[in-house]
Amino acid sequence: MGRRRGVELYRAPFPLYALRVDPKTGLLIAAGGGGAAKTGIKNGVHFLQLEQINGCLSASLLHSHDTETRATMNLALAGDILAAGQDARCQLLRFQVHQQKSNKAEKSSSKEQGPRQRKGAAPAEKKPAAEAHREGVELKVKNLEAVQTDFSTEPLQKVVRFNHDNTLLATGGTDGHVRVWKVPSLEKVLDFKAHEGEIGDLALGPDGKLVTVGWDLKASVWQKGQLVTQLHWQENGPTSSSSTPYRYQACRFGQVPDQPGGLRLFTVQIPHKRLRQPPPCYLTAWDSSSYLPLRTRSCGHEVISCLSVSESGTFLGLGTVTGSVAIYIAFSLQRLYYVKEAHGIVVTDVAFLPEKGCGPELLGPHETALFSVAVDSRCQLHLLPSRRSVPVWLLLLMCVGLIIVTILLLQSAFPGFL
């Protein structure tokens, strides 16, 4: 078997930091940029159309949204609204996809663009109306409200998440505060100090609880700004006898398959300090009611940079600082897929293809699909082939056959056995 490799779907003209997939439209949304430095590297949000062509999943640029001097470092998606973390602020964007009515003018325009331009989008600066066209598809992006979300001496929004019904979003940054905002007005409804130092990640549960992880080595559960409990992993985990301090790198809620309404919390723990011989990183599944650890497993010695949970809660996706990408099964935390140094540089975000909406049609015969982006400006596709399973009736038939063969062998070896 050859070395497993990811498929390069798209290469952007700037470093990519954030990634989301819209289940309704089948759009892959990738964002990043070079920031405010005058290096000539642009900043933007790219909308890519996913489609099956000759049995292969492909992506083509549908629209490029210019974010001027601000690079988008994190994204959250709620319907047709994007929340983009840009420097110390959160910018809301609304995108709309329409099917154009065909007419002679459009046909003439299509001929002038040529076959190459028909599949892609013109540069954003050439489209003052902030719209792009592809085979009768029209996409418009509109800037909504924006608000400053971090107030440290070097302010930076690190994470943004919508709640379960998309009426609120929570932000965290380098000042250690969690701030909760109404959508889409961005009126602040809650502000509390969650960590000493920056917040690394946060997750919102449907019961109103909020989990945060920070550089102070703590992971905390909050309800309306009040501390409910803290997660205790290292005290009773596999590193309890080790002097190496660990910190929580990422946290995500995921559904429990075959349990309607059931939830699990997943966290990633990494060594707080870089060592010459790095100790392993760990994945942990937590009970979402008691917040006690259910299962912990080592996920290798590469430092984990990002975590994603599939829509059904069946799979976990991981990216590493050395560019590797892996898929784990959530129930047992066993690794199913791994590509070493798929990007060759830090993986900044991973996202699964949704399992509803356009997802099944795009997925084809595979069990799941994971997208990854990195500072190398590339978006890659990682497909997990369907695992072959043996039907129960065949297993029972094989067991009966084995018993019959065993009896016959014993009868031949020991006449009169029966």
Side-chain angles (χ1 to χ4, degrees), residues 14-19 29-33 44-46 72 75 373:
F14 46 74
L16 292 172
Y17 295 108
L19 180 68
I29 305 166
V45 180
H46 281 191
T72 299
L75 277 177
V373 293

Side-chain angles (χ1 to χ4, degrees), residues 169-327:
L169 66 82
T171 60
T174 54
D175 65 1
H177 280 249
V178 170
R179 296 176 174 91
V180 180
W181 315 82
K182 287 184 179 180
V183 178
S185 67
L186 291 187
E187 175 188 347
K188 185 165 64 177
V189 296
L190 189 62
D191 184 343
F192 63 94
K193 180 79 170 179
H195 293 274
E196 296 298 329
E198 69 180 56
I199 293 175
D201 201 4
L202 61 84
L204 287 162
D207 59 355
K209 289 189 174 65
L210 185 149
V211 179
T212 61
V213 300
W215 278 63
D216 56 4
L217 312 187
K218 295 179 180 179
S220 304
V221 182
W222 308 87
Q223 182 94 48
K224 297 181 178 179
Q226 299 299 313
L227 181 64
V228 176
T229 186
Q230 289 187 336
L231 304 185
H232 298 282
W233 170 79
Q234 193 162 7
E235 294 87 338
N236 303 309
T239 64
S240 57
S241 59
S242 172
S243 60
T244 302
Y246 277 74
R247 68 177 173 87
Y248 297 87
Q249 169 70 2
C251 57
R252 292 287 188 279
F253 281 106
Q255 295 183 15
V256 180
D258 302 323
Q259 290 187 23
L263 280 182
R264 289 281 185 271
L265 175 69
F266 298 95
T267 62
V268 169
Q269 294 80 239
I270 66 172
H272 185 53
K273 296 181 180 179
R274 302 288 177 89
L275 302 175
R276 181 172 297 179
Q277 294 183 342
C281 298
Y282 292 93
L283 262 174
T284 300
W286 304 77
D287 183 276
S288 62
S289 298
S290 63
Y291 290 97
L292 295 175
L294 299 172
R295 189 175 293 106
T296 293
R297 189 178 292 270
S298 168
C299 48
H301 293 265
E302 296 176 271
V303 178
I304 305 301
S305 57
C306 51
L307 166 69
S308 180
V309 183
S310 67
E311 191 173 18
S312 65
T314 305
F315 302 105
L316 307 176
L318 295 179
T320 75
V321 298
T322 50
S324 301
V325 176
I327 299 175

Side-chain angles (χ1 to χ4, degrees), residues 328-346:
Y328 286 72
I329 190 163
F331 173 74
S332 61
L333 303 184
Q334 291 182 329
R335 192 169 73 186
L336 300 175
Y337 174 99
Y338 173 73
V339 179
K340 183 177 178 61
E341 297 178 0
H343 289 273
I345 197 169
V346 59

Side-chain angles (χ1 to χ4, degrees), residues 45 67 70-74 84-91 93 157:
V45 180
T67 56
R70 301 178 185 273
T72 299
M73 305 300 292
N74 40 82
Q86 300 171 350
D87 299 334
R89 72 174 192 166
C90 182
Q91 171 72 59
L93 305 169
Q157 179 179 297

